Amino acid sequence: MLKAVDFPNNPPNPAYQPEMAKCIACFNSIRPDQPEVHRIAAEMREIADSYGAKGQGERVLIGEIYLPVDRLMHYYGVERPGVHLPSISSSSTRRGRPHSLGTAIH
């Protein structure tokens, strides 16, 4: 949603192969979850929640977030409610290893 202030690019991963997931084509040395994103998520949540408050039916805000589980959990919200469900997209990097995802969550 946001990029770092000076717009740097992540360095390419020299071990990347075309058959690998595109999310590992570069090293994530620049945090994709800039602090301002949480404010935006909270504002989006307020909009989603306002539909139910107006009697227009409830809405759900699902975040497609490619982060390790410990950082992904912050998208539920800390000071204000964030997304209803931060999608655990990091599970795609754990293919064939379902127990490793359970370990990461616990």
Side-chain angles (χ1 to χ4, degrees), residues 7-106:
F7 294 103
N9 289 322
N10 284 311
N13 178 357
Y16 175 74
Q17 299 294 315
E19 62 274 5
M20 296 175 162
K22 287 195 179 252
C23 64
I24 59 173
C26 293
F27 291 115
N28 284 325
S29 59
I30 299 152
R31 287 185 67 113
D33 56 333
Q34 297 295 312
E36 300 86 357
V37 170
H38 299 286
R39 178 186 51 79
I40 295 169
E43 290 173 2
M44 293 171 70
R45 171 70 180 262
E46 288 175 7
I47 293 169
D49 288 349
S50 73
Y51 284 90
K54 295 175 188 173
Q56 298 174 332
E58 294 183 357
R59 305 294 195 268
V60 64
L61 184 60
I62 300 172
E64 183 178 359
I65 304 165
Y66 296 91
L67 290 173
V69 174
D70 62 324
R71 287 176 35 207
L72 174 111
M73 299 309 285
H74 294 279
Y75 282 82
Y76 277 114
V78 176
E79 294 175 16
R80 296 166 54 191
V83 298
H84 291 96
L85 179 64
S87 174
I88 303 178
S89 300
S90 62
S91 64
S92 64
T93 63
R94 300 175 183 275
R95 270 184 232 138
R97 299 178 290 154
H99 298 293
S100 65
L101 178 59
T103 301
I105 292 171
H106 295 288

